[in-house]
Amino acid sequence: MGYCSCLFSTKSLLTLFLISAIPAGILIALERVPPSTHVYQYHSNSWFRECARWDDLNRRFIVSYLEGGLGVLKPPHDGDSDSDSDGDDNGVVLDEVTVVKDDDLKGNASVGFTIDRLRNRVLVTVGDIKGNSYSADEKSFADDVAVDDEGNAYVTDVKASKIWKVNAQGQLLSTIRSPLFSFKQFYKNLVGLNGIVYHPDGYLLVIHTFSGTLYKIDLKKGDHAIQLVKIVKGSLAMGDGLELLSPSKIVVAGNPSARLLESSDGWETASVVAKYWGPIHRIATSATVKDGKVYLSHMVGLGYPKRKHVIVEANLNI
């Protein structure tokens, strides 16, 4: 979110608690349940992975390491004329190939990231877990990032519930704060602002995990034009990563594994119109789109000596 240092983050502690509370027999039974949708399996050398994004240009998945770094997964038959649209690999388990390792940030977590195709770059958030080494004024944990049309990045702080705005040159421009981001009930503040996406109409949509609150931040009116999106049907509690499917649809990864959220009024209000329950013991953390289908990255890998991770298609009838 070597993993011992990551255990100091609230998110990782909660994950460890949830996994340790599941008896081994139940875990084995859950693993033996045949998947109802397409699944990409891959081996790695660590128990935990956070985010996966489909890189359509290079026809590969990019995954972030909770121990720090990025890797890629290349489906072997993807795009072949004699394979189906899912790149069916006949049960082959893919191998993760590390492409980014930064010794300066060793021990910190590579968490959410986004592919900025226009500027040919990948922006990765780094969770600060080494004694608050990089936070200026308070304990923080960078969790996810979105990019606007001008190349400005918006980084959520899941611990202190704020958003950093950083320009394309890497300079901090401002910090977005609001009383709307915090709650009287202390437990709702344990895991705060999390998944974030940039909407093509010029605003951000951001989720607060433990409260299930969705915010709309209109950038055309300034960084602090913040309002609550009224959820008229369903709940977004325990929502994590967001993926914008269209101007009116968002997928929320988390628990349940995925929720399809739809708005018909420019995200003044929204409704949960579909749910998908996947391998809940593996904990869905992010969503991505590959060839028009939604896939979910899961945090927990199982197996020894190599851990097997999964990226699972979410059946949301989109």
Side-chain angles (χ1 to χ4, degrees):
M1 202 133 285
Y3 189 71
C4 291
S5 59
C6 292
L7 296 180
F8 291 106
S9 76
T10 302
K11 191 173 183 179
S12 300
L13 283 169
L14 290 169
T15 300
L16 183 63
F17 172 78
L18 291 171
I19 294 300
S20 63
I22 303 176
I26 295 178
L27 280 176
I28 293 172
L30 289 170
E31 279 293 288
R32 288 178 174 174
V33 175
S36 60
T37 60
H38 184 257
V39 178
Y40 288 103
Q41 303 178 80
Y42 66 98
H43 279 144
S44 82
N45 293 317
S46 179
W47 295 105
F48 300 97
R49 293 290 177 259
E50 168 68 9
C51 183
R53 300 287 185 196
W54 176 245
D55 176 7
D56 188 62
L57 181 64
N58 297 294
R59 306 300 296 174
R60 62 187 182 180
F61 288 102
I62 304 175
V63 296
S64 61
Y65 298 178
L66 287 183
E67 71 274 19
L70 293 178
V72 296
L73 313 167
K74 183 76 172 179
H77 306 299
D78 185 76
D80 289 354
S81 59
D82 58 351
S83 67
D84 64 23
S85 61
D86 291 321
D88 187 4
D89 52 22
N90 296 316
V92 171
V93 180
L94 307 178
D95 282 317
E96 176 185 83
V97 178
T98 298
V99 293
V100 175
K101 273 289 188 181
D102 190 339
D103 288 338
D104 290 339
L105 299 176
K106 187 177 181 180
N108 285 307
S110 298
V111 199
F113 67 91
T114 190
I115 301 172
D116 184 5
R117 184 65 63 202
L118 184 62
R119 296 163 191 85
N120 193 33
R121 60 180 184 164
V122 175
L123 299 180
V124 187
T125 59
V126 177
D128 185 4
I129 55 179
K130 292 182 67 176
N132 204 36
S133 304
Y134 302 99
S135 303
D137 55 352
E138 60 187 334
K139 290 185 177 181
S140 301
F141 194 91
D143 193 89
D144 203 3
V145 59
V147 179
D148 67 17
D149 294 335
E150 297 177 355
N152 298 309
Y154 300 86
V155 180
T156 56
D157 178 356
V158 74
K159 191 173 185 65
S161 284
K162 61 180 182 289
I163 301 169
W164 294 286
K165 181 179 179 180
V166 181
N167 68 15
Q169 291 72 45
Q171 299 169 322
L172 178 65
L173 298 180
S174 63
T175 301
I176 304 173
R177 301 176 184 267
S178 172
L180 295 174
F181 295 160
S182 60
F183 296 84
K184 292 182 179 179
Q185 303 94 329
F186 78 92
Y187 58 88
K188 288 186 177 181
N189 298 309
L190 293 176
V191 182
L193 295 185
N194 200 332
I196 185 170
V197 291
Y198 175 73
H199 193 280
D201 288 341
Y203 50 84
L204 302 170
L205 294 167
V206 191
I207 194 165
H208 188 286
T209 293
F210 269 20
S211 72
T213 305
L214 187 70
Y215 304 94
K216 176 181 177 180
I217 304 176
D218 194 335
L219 301 176
K220 299 187 299 294
K221 298 179 181 178
D223 291 348
H224 299 280
I226 302 167
Q227 66 183 75
L228 303 180
V229 178
K230 183 179 180 181
I231 307 301
V232 297
K233 179 183 177 183
S235 168
L236 299 184
M238 302 304 295
D240 194 338
L242 302 182
E243 178 73 2
L244 188 69
L245 300 185
S246 73
S248 62
K249 293 181 180 179
I250 284 179
V251 172
V252 182
N255 184 23
S257 304
R259 282 163 280 194
L260 179 60
L261 194 62
E262 190 167 7
S263 175
S264 59
D265 57 8
W267 296 96
E268 298 293 315
T269 64
S271 298
V272 177
V273 297
K275 296 180 183 180
Y276 168 75
W277 293 91
I280 57 174
H281 59 295
R282 286 183 176 267
I283 308 178
T285 53
S286 71
T288 191
V289 176
K290 177 185 183 293
D291 301 330
K293 298 179 180 180
V294 175
Y295 282 84
L296 304 174
S297 177
H298 291 74
M299 179 178 285
V300 180
L302 297 173
Y304 188 83
K306 285 190 174 183
R307 267 64 73 185
K308 184 186 293 183
H309 293 264
V310 295
I311 298 174
V312 180
E313 179 191 347
N315 183 11
L316 293 167
N317 297 316
I318 60 173

